Amino acid sequence: MPQKSVPGFTELITGCQGTAVHLEMRDNYAVSAEAEDFREWRRNGRIGPGSLSRRRPWLDLVRETVGRGVVMRRARIVSEPVTEYIRYEHAGTHLNVAAGEQVRWLPRRLTNDLVLPGNDLWLFDNRLIRFGHFTGDGASAGHELCDDPVVVKQCATAFEAIWARATPHEIFTV
């Protein structure tokens, strides 16, 4: 059941002590905070200084979180051929990796035998899930928290199966 008030991501990650895993399963996102970066990437074909500056708060948060011993992992399930948006994400992922986040990619065609959650998620310390909801066109439609042990276990199991099968960012090509 959706909750009316969900703490912000920074508050959740600050309380995290051991692991934070992120599962992304959409081929397009239309999150307003990325709009300028995406336009810049489309114009220039690369992640430029402006984008780096706008990403600084996230990259600093990753460095701080990893620096206090939290393992941050992100798995992305993508359709192939990849969308323009996924090419944009791939072009900037080296910044996340340099900040300490581990990132892997899994082509959707390799997930047929996996049981996947219905929504993107962050799982903190294998105890709390923050589901991300999106509209059909990829805009954020809010978040929902879940600490149901059965759901947490299902999502943790799904993430680990994806992670084991996925390709590290450093060798995944788009």
Side-chain angles (χ1 to χ4, degrees), residues 149-171:
V150 172
V151 177
V152 167
K153 183 173 176 29
Q154 289 171 338
C155 289
T157 299
F159 184 88
E160 293 306 327
I162 293 160
W163 188 258
R165 193 172 290 185
T167 302
H169 173 72
E170 296 79 4
I171 58 176

Side-chain angles (χ1 to χ4, degrees), residues 8 19 40 82 125 153 165:
T19 60
E40 181 180 297
V82 299
D125 292 328
K153 183 173 176 29
R165 193 172 290 185

Side-chain angles (χ1 to χ4, degrees), residues 87 129 156:
R87 287 194 313 273
I129 301 169

